[in-house]
Amino acid sequence: MTKLAMFGGAPAVTRGTPQSSWPVVTDQDTEAVLGVMRSGRFTAASAGEQEIRSLEREWAERVGTAHCLAVANGTAALTIALAAAGVGRGYEVIVPALSFVGSALAPLHVGATPVFVDVHPSTFNLSPDHLAAAVSGRTAAVLPVHLHGLPADMDEILAFAGQRGLVVVEDVAQAPGVRYRGRITGSLGDLGALSLNVSKNLPTCGEGGLLTTGDPELADRAELLRQFGERLGGRGERPYVSHAPGWNAKINAIQAAFTRSQLTRFDEQRAVRDRNVTRLLARVAELPGFTAPEVPADREHGWHILRFRVRPEAFGLPESRASVLRAVTVRVMRAEGVPVSRYQTRPLSEQPIFADAGAPSRALDVSVTRAVVQDSFVLQRIHLNPGAGDLLERVAEAFSKVWEHRAVVANMADSHTPDRTPA
Ligand SMILES: Cc1ncc(COP(=O)(O)O)c(C=O)c1O
């Protein structure tokens, strides 16, 4: 048995293991950005600007929607999507309790109240079973999040929303271009909001977002809201006339050019990543101490984040030690050279903005979300680079080492008090 790195053994990820960074920036990307610098056409308002429009056209074609608008970031895309659909003050928006806080802030930005519902214990996505209990006379929209890259149960959500006349805004931030029952994320709901943040699977060199819809009226309103409520697009002089309480939420041409260049490698990178991640997960799935993510047969997974739950009973521990076992496992894995971390430490309903600062919200029972954030840890970013295959083999070794040393790990978890154990 190899010794745990924590106790002086060689770490699973040794010094020589090639590390992987994300995004992969090539000369082609640099040239694309420099091309904009040389052209002097930095915004959509610059005469002859093509990068922004081309990105919008190319993404719309890929997703299969008639319209795509490039915006400043994913939160702006969500906010504009809700506002374009007429969701505002006095309305409620159903949001999964497990997500990045941006999913919950967008309803607040339009004056609506987020209503938090629980997620499924293994897909981590909004559980359609909870929708009926969440609906009130003020519900206007459902905001399913394709968390970690896995599309939510959209057909069930759309059927429910359709019966009650609710708008569906997909949060596609973590799952760009992922197939669900023959369709692509961002084309499933009334509107889709995507983040191009540099950490995302389809990145820009900073911040950006894309909003997709098949509805020309929603697209028209979203366009107004992106640009001070102004109607531009004509060749003549800017009229400086505002028709709606819009934001300034435009993207710039440098961001668009970078993403367009990344897009040329998107499919190839996805295919290799899928192979690398699937190999890692198959190895972890053999270890009874962890639950590795699974993919329902009717959809793909974009593998933006890999979440692993610990199984205390497999370590001979009671369920009540789940959180401590997770914390100990994280420490052991980090000593092995694997940068695991937590992603979300509480249900959205327990974020201080809602729990303490008095922002309006409503929450149903979110006990699954609470259990998941306590007993799971994630791998982020290092697996996105297609060159991460060898590194992920070492990550699998680290999981195996934890499992081989389960008696020691369980003993550490048993003797630690939860509040003394660092996350
Ligand atoms: C699920 C989810 N929704 C919304 C956002 C917000 O996107 P952005 O950071 O581009 O505003 C993010 C990413 O940060 C996210 O992961």
Side-chain angles (χ1 to χ4, degrees), residues 72-76 78 99-103 145-147 171-174 194-197 199-200 207-209 304 343:
N73 54 62
T75 310
L78 284 170
S99 185
F100 178 69
V101 73
S103 313
V145 181
H146 306 313
L147 198 69
D171 183 337
V172 195
Q174 300 189 4
L194 170 63
S195 169
L196 296 175
N197 179 276
S199 65
K200 296 294 194 281
E207 307 276 351
H304 179 59
Y343 178 72

Side-chain angles (χ1 to χ4, degrees), residues 23-47:
V24 179
V25 180
T26 64
D27 289 348
Q28 177 190 304
D29 302 333
T30 308
E31 271 310 308
V33 166
L34 289 176
V36 175
M37 302 288 282
R38 292 187 194 110
S39 77
R41 293 188 284 264
F42 295 116
T43 72
S46 311

